[in-house]
Amino acid sequence: MGERGADASGRGILTTPAARDGLAVGLATAVYGISFGALAVAAGLDVWQTCFLSLIMFTGGSQFALVGVLASGGVAAGWSAIATAGLLGVRNVVYGMRMKPLVDTGGLWRRAAAAWVTIDESTAVALAQSDQRQARIGFWVTGLAIFAGWNLTTLIGALIGDAIGDTRAWGLDAAAAAAFLGLLWPRLKRLQAGAVAVAAALVAALTTPVLMPGLPVLVAAVVAVVVGWFDLLGRRRAA
């Protein structure tokens, strides 16, 4: 009776709306891993370095930013690439604070796993649910599905990129910026996000000729920090 109930419960979890949402998001997001794997090889990483980065770093936007800076400046831009990726990764700290009451259960390993898969998509699916149980299911299904799929497709993409040789001949030297823009585009529907994007792009364009690769991104990030911290456009609309 107990075993049958546990089995039914397991099947029931996978048929919940939260689990279906998580699997759908996981499948769609994992496809980006192919692009990342190929772009990372184009930026100068080898296959195993690329796979290690996805396994340990596991935050898509920061990974694309890292290889984008490396692609434009090579090894000399390494510290700028790390700083840029780290700056983008700060958002995961905010997600962690929001998710802690929901997933801070079980032992040390469970909490460590929860921290590992606290990303944009797992947080979004969890917050979209109507109750805590469904939110918890959505979080874990999304996070684990993306983790498995992302690492698998990263390997595939890296092998493809390594096999085709000179990736610049295929235009992959510019694809990192295009892929990152694709991730950013859906977030530009609101006035504040669009204004920040335009201002940051202008600052980056003006500083690129005078600063080493990677630093213009960090300088441009100050625009977003200032606008977001002081809520400049929000105050103007309220007024």
Side-chain angles (χ1 to χ4, degrees), residues 41-42 161-173:
V41 171
D162 191 53
I164 64 178
D166 185 7
T167 50
R168 289 176 297 180
W170 300 81
L172 288 179
D173 54 329

Side-chain angles (χ1 to χ4, degrees), residues 76-88:
W79 287 110
S80 297
I82 293 171
T84 302
L87 186 63
L88 284 172

Side-chain angles (χ1 to χ4, degrees), residues 159-204:
L159 292 173
I160 292 173
D162 191 53
I164 64 178
D166 185 7
T167 50
R168 289 176 297 180
W170 300 81
L172 288 179
D173 54 329
F180 193 69
L181 180 60
L183 293 174
L184 179 66
W185 190 259
R187 295 171 170 80
L188 300 182
K189 296 179 180 179
R190 289 179 293 181
L191 173 63
Q192 179 164 307
V196 169
V198 171
L202 181 61
V203 170

